[in-house]
Amino acid sequence: MSTHASDPLAALGSLPGVADSVDSVRKAVDRVYGHRVMRRRSNEITSEAALRGARGSAALAGADWALEEVRRRTDFSADPEARTVGAALRLSAEGGQLLSIWRQSPLRVLARLHLVAEGEPLDSTGRPRQAGEPVDEPLIEAPLPTPAEVSGRLDGLAELIIAGGEAPALVTAAVVHGELLALRPFTTHNGLIARAAERIVLVGSGLDPKSICPAEVGHAELGREAYLAAFEGYISGTAEGMAAWITHCGRAVELGVRESTAVCEALQRGAA
């Protein structure tokens, strides 16, 4: 994160195009929350958003399953793709339980997310990777920061989250997502965890309190190529690159809103 303002996250909100993206996301979220189905069946929308978000996050991690396959499958241990989908589903279910802890101890939450994603306690589970430990994250090919750099930047990210500030939720969520992708602090499941953390920020900030706007759906719909191109902007640290990443994340949220709006309308028609 290459900015030196006293509130660096808030400063990112003033980058060209970011304010427009923040405004567009806010309006889109408000519209779906105003849908008449939300007044009566919001729990169903939340559950469906969790499922679809998990499917989208797993797709970006290389397990691009049809939604109905994710819905019907009960065993997620058979092969690497199944384990990826299972990890995404567990993270989607767990995130809502960690909201109260996030603002006080984000590093504790990240450790918990890795444990949940891994599904079993290994020597490397729930702690930042150590020197010499390999990282299984095939989607992201950027150079790996050293464990010492990971530790310092995680501490800095945690300090920003705990301090709060005036930054819009979209900006904070995008930075958390981008920083975790850049650091890849764990030996496995970093992409899934980064996207789960983005969701936690969006929900915990009050932008999407019922967790019905799955950005992971939008990230998957926009595609891996666009995701990686936007991420290159983030790791460049330039104003233009950061703005491109934040606006990409904003577009992903809007597509998640569109997905849940379609679910609302299907329920209204009695088709789901």
Side-chain angles (χ1 to χ4, degrees):
M1 293 177 290
S2 301
T3 180
H4 302 285
S6 58
D7 186 350
L9 292 181
L12 293 175
S14 64
L15 292 175
V18 171
D20 289 342
S21 182
V22 167
D23 186 54
S24 181
V25 166
R26 175 78 266 175
K27 289 176 179 176
V29 172
D30 286 347
R31 281 195 298 273
V32 71
Y33 270 83
H35 197 287
R36 60 188 300 179
V37 168
M38 281 296 297
R39 293 196 292 272
R40 297 175 287 110
R41 305 177 71 174
S42 65
N43 288 344
E44 293 173 69
I45 309 301
T46 297
S47 295
E48 191 65 18
L51 182 73
R52 293 177 185 227
R55 193 217 74 81
S57 192
L60 281 175
D64 191 0
W65 288 14
L67 180 63
E68 292 312 312
E69 175 67 9
V70 178
R71 197 189 302 279
R72 74 161 192 85
R73 182 74 74 96
T74 57
D75 178 13
F76 294 98
S77 62
D79 54 69
E81 281 197 11
R83 289 193 289 274
T84 295
V85 175
L89 287 166
R90 290 192 299 272
L91 286 170
S92 191
E94 185 77 8
Q97 313 303 313
L98 300 172
L99 294 172
S100 62
I101 306 171
W102 175 257
R103 286 297 295 271
Q104 284 75 44
S105 185
L107 298 185
R108 184 177 155 202
V109 168
L110 293 174
R112 174 64 185 169
L113 291 176
H114 188 237
L115 177 61
V116 167
E118 196 67 72
E120 58 180 327
L122 305 174
D123 287 346
S124 60
T125 303
R127 61 157 174 79
R129 56 185 167 81
Q130 298 173 356
E133 289 183 325
V135 174
D136 181 13
E137 191 60 51
L139 179 61
I140 305 299
E141 297 180 352
L144 274 173
T146 65
E149 185 179 354
V150 168
S151 178
R153 286 172 62 175
L154 280 178
D155 285 345
L157 184 64
E159 288 170 9
L160 287 174
I161 293 164
I162 292 167
E166 302 301 318
L170 172 64
V171 171
T172 303
V175 167
V176 167
H177 182 172
E179 192 70 354
L180 292 174
L181 277 186
L183 295 178
R184 281 147 289 160
F186 302 108
T187 55
T188 56
H189 301 306
N190 290 289
L192 295 179
I193 290 167
R195 292 183 288 276
E198 178 185 49
R199 173 78 78 92
I200 287 172
V201 174
L202 293 171
V203 174
S205 67
L207 176 65
D208 179 22
K210 294 183 183 294
S211 194
I212 62 166
C213 306
E216 307 97 318
V217 168
H219 286 303
E221 186 171 336
L222 290 166
R224 294 175 115 198
E225 186 175 335
Y227 186 73
L228 291 173
F231 174 63
E232 287 292 326
Y234 179 85
I235 60 175
S236 76
T238 65
E240 295 80 8
M242 295 293 287
W245 170 249
I246 295 166
T247 55
H248 181 87
C249 290
R251 181 62 180 144
V253 175
E254 290 186 70
L255 290 170
V257 168
R258 187 177 73 178
E259 185 89 354
S260 287
T261 301
V263 173
C264 286
E265 291 174 356
L267 287 172
Q268 186 169 290
R269 293 191 305 268

